[in-house]
Amino acid sequence: MKTVAFDAAAMAGAVASGEVSARELLDASLARIEATDGRVNAFTEKTLARARAEADAVDARRAASQPLGPLAGVPYAVKNLFDIEGVVTLAGSIVNRSDPAAVSDAFLVRQMQAAGAVLVGGLNMDEYAYGFTTENTHYGPCHNPHDLTRSAGGSSGGSGAAVAAGQVPITLGSDTNGSIRVPASLCGVWGLKPTFGRLSRRGSYPFVHSIDHLGPLADSLAGLALAYDVLQSPDALDPGCQALRVQPVAPLVGRGTAGLRIGVLGGYFHDNATPAAREVVALAASTLGAHAEVSWPDAALARAAAFIITASEGGSLHLRELRTRADDFEPLSVDRFIAGALQPVDWYLRAQRFRRAYRDKVNALFRDWDVLLAAATPVSAPAIGTEWLDINGTQQPCRPSLGLLTQPVSFAGCPVVTAPLWPAGTGGLPVGVQLIAAPWREDLAFRAAQVLSDAGVARVQPAQL
Amino acid sequence: MNDTRMLAYVETTAALLKLPLDAARTQRVAVNLQRTAAMAALLDEVPLAAHDELAELYRPAAFPPNDDERKQL
């Protein structure tokens, strides 16, 4: 078996050129999973027969000189809330174990398959996506590959850890309040939360219909762009998909940042960032020549509204099972689900009415700015089991507070690329920087990210496992 | 709302929704709801006018891209 040290984009190129076969890439991925996942616990399901069939199909196409997709032969895995044909969609729960197996793939899994990517399995997550740490009591916590005693973040913790551990170069996750950006930050990988409504959610298990997003994580910015471009497609059958056409970013990412107005978010985003998080934002800002401090409107109010809508919709979604099987739910989140179900309707409606006015204020901000920077998490990865965080002298509950800096941004629906940076004083642990753009302008966030990547400031570092 | 009244609220609304809660869970849910109440109080201070609508609006169907169907009948 060949030793493979490529990133996602290089893998696709190597398969296309014949330097390596899809089957060899798959075998290398499976060997890495076998060697490391007993300690990382990223995978909850392996789709070996399917993976071999998909890899062999790619190799057969190449042997027959047929055209290959842009991700031909690249192994990937998905958070276990994506439907995989023939597999029960767990969404991190044991309640769903008795559901029938999915009869077809999620829309985005089909997009990846059409691009030639090879599905290796399903990934660990917080139950029903309600958490930021992937401390899943049913399937065990997901461990951070850079320090196994620490959290991988969540709720797409398996998606962040699998990339950081070098098991697969691309994963898919979901992000309602930060669930792609938090694990990307804590695991030191690239992540994209696209514009709300950009990618189809059909065939994924919902959490909060009003705020759920799906997106990719990757071991390189080029891989992230490749994955994002193949995931794009209008989907008239998904009421949440608002995109009417594909807008590829890959041709645009190298355009540089000349002429872009880039600012740094102060106020709430500075106050809720510890020194390590402030350090990576400062490094990204200096690399991008961003000097102006910008005030994001109503960030604390937006977080409160997102919290209330999340609890209310999540609690209502699971009310039937909460009535009869509450003891089968995740102990770390079941009480929040129940509390959400009991919220007065005025709280929910007021939060939704606030959101409309808030959106207008955020969109107005982007008349003056193209890209805005903020840390993705207040801290680097906390130890698994941490109850309280010290954020600049204030004690905050750890699990909800990991989303302090992501929640106001997803509530507005803006696209965000999370770039992996490596501050001093964290024992070698990363903290991500959010590159935030106006709705439908993922291309601008990617352009800024490319500058950070080219400068070597943002990069994925191999985990010593 | 004080803790006693919040406990009573949780017991009453849970009963209304047919959610069985034991005493320990009732207590924990009340603590969670008390935290959320503080956030709701922040939003309660935001001035919203009668015409400030919900962020999400029901659509009976996508608006047609052209008038072709109207010409057929």
Side-chain angles (χ1 to χ4, degrees), chain A residues 210 301 304-305 307-308 319 322-323 326-327 334-336 338-339 341-344 347 349-350 352-353 355-356, chain B residues 9-10 13-14 17-20 25 28-29 32-33 36-37 39-40 42-44 46 49 52-56:
Chain A
S210 293
L301 288 169
F307 192 100
I308 286 167
L319 182 58
L322 289 167
R323 283 177 178 142
D327 288 341
V334 63
D335 298 328
R336 278 186 286 149
I338 294 173
L342 304 185
Q343 285 179 177
W347 293 3
L349 291 174
R350 199 167 183 80
Q352 285 285 16
R353 291 172 66 204
R355 192 183 191 193
R356 192 179 189 89
Chain B
Y9 175 87
V10 169
T13 52
L17 290 173
K18 300 185 177 66
L19 257 172
R25 177 154 283 151
R28 294 196 301 272
V29 169
N32 273 282
L33 207 51
T36 318
M39 296 192 191
L42 288 177
L43 282 173
D44 202 43
V46 176
D52 283 325
E53 297 193 21
L54 298 175
E56 305 262 341

Side-chain angles (χ1 to χ4, degrees), chain A residues 11-46:
Chain A
M11 282 185 190
V15 170
S17 70
E19 184 182 346
V20 69
S21 70
R23 191 60 182 260
E24 286 171 324
L25 286 184
L26 172 62
D27 287 345
S29 171
L30 295 178
R32 180 70 175 165
I33 294 166
E34 182 67 27
T36 58
D37 209 48
R39 287 167 284 155
V40 176
N41 197 29
F43 278 79
T44 55
E45 175 81 31
K46 293 180 194 114

